[in-house]
Structures are given as C-alpha cells and as structure tokens.
Amino acid sequence: MDDARLDALGQTIVAALPGAALGHAVAFNQLTVSVDLSRIVDVVRTLRDDPRFRFVNIIDVTAVDYPSRENRFDVVYHLMSPALNARLRLIGEAGETTQVPSIISVFPGADWFERETYDLYGVIFTGHPDMRRLLTDY
C-alpha cells in the first residue's frame, strides 16, 4: 500500500473512532495511529470487525520505555489486514501505574504478548486472565 492510501486509511480510522484514535502518521510506508489506551478494546474490536478495515491478525504487543517522560511507556500493538494487504501500528502512552485494558477478549492470541510486556516493562493489563511473569522469576 502506498503512502497516499495509508494516509487515507489513517484518516478513515481516526474518523471512525472519535476520541479513541487521536491521530495518525505515515512514515517509511508504515501507518501509525495514536490511541487512548483506556479505549483500546473498542479500538481493536472496531479495527477487526468493521468491513472497511478487517485487521484480523494480531502480530505483536510490546512497549517502548522513555524513562525521562512522565508517561514513560508507549504501549505498541501491531495488526495486519490480509484483505487490505496492510499493517497497522497502534501506539498509546502509559505511566508506571497506568492500567491498560487487556485485548484478550478481542484477540485471544494477545495473551503471551501482554504477559511478556508486563514481565519486561511492568505495564499492567487489567482484565487479563493470567497476569503472571512469563520470562523472569519472582
């Protein structure tokens, strides 16, 4: 998908999710949408179920740590739409005590990704059925 089509897709996503999708950017032929993490479940459900998008594959959930920022984490979700032949990155800011809703109800495959993000970064996912460390020891 070229940059113009990705930009149009980003505009459509932001328009479809007022207040939840906060903006978008296209760089290096990749679409990134900024989201309000408190509404992440609605965002991913819409992106999966809306026939305009059909982002039916969860690729990854992870985080990036910016220790000098007040909300030090960017929680990052990567989705894929085979129907559109497009990938999408969702990014939302979280602080050290921010509780991010789990997306397992929409994408059960996010289970280990959320556990890994909790284990390695300390991001807390609420509503996760088994929020235990995955890689490191207690």
Side-chain angles (χ1 to χ4, degrees):
M1 197 174 258
D2 63 26
D3 285 1
R5 289 181 59 208
L6 287 172
D7 184 59
L9 177 60
Q11 290 176 29
T12 304
I13 290 169
V14 171
L17 292 160
L22 309 174
H24 78 284
V26 176
F28 304 105
N29 200 34
Q30 296 178 10
L31 174 61
T32 301
V33 175
S34 300
V35 297
D36 175 353
L37 286 178
S38 69
R39 298 190 49 201
I40 191 64
V41 175
D42 294 332
V43 169
V44 296
R45 181 175 290 115
T46 298
L47 291 171
R48 182 194 67 187
D49 296 345
D50 189 310
R52 295 174 293 176
F53 310 128
R54 295 175 285 178
F55 283 93
V56 296
N57 295 83
I58 181 85
I59 306 285
D60 190 21
V61 178
T62 190
V64 181
D65 188 3
Y66 298 96
S68 61
R69 272 190 353 201
E70 181 178 344
N71 286 329
R72 71 182 284 177
F73 300 110
D74 277 351
V75 182
V76 182
Y77 302 81
H78 292 107
L79 305 174
M80 186 174 69
S81 172
L84 297 177
N85 191 26
R87 292 176 183 258
L88 171 64
R89 177 183 301 112
L90 303 173
I91 295 181
E93 289 188 10
E96 292 180 12
T97 59
T98 301
Q99 296 188 0
V100 179
S102 173
I103 64 167
I104 288 180
S105 63
V106 180
F107 288 112
D111 181 3
W112 280 43
F113 297 139
E114 289 180 352
R115 286 180 63 187
E116 181 181 57
T117 304
Y118 163 69
D119 194 6
L120 297 177
Y121 294 96
V123 175
I124 302 163
F125 293 92
T126 59
H128 191 287
D130 190 16
M131 188 61 16
R132 289 180 296 135
R133 293 191 179 282
L134 185 63
L135 302 169
T136 61
D137 193 6
Y138 283 96

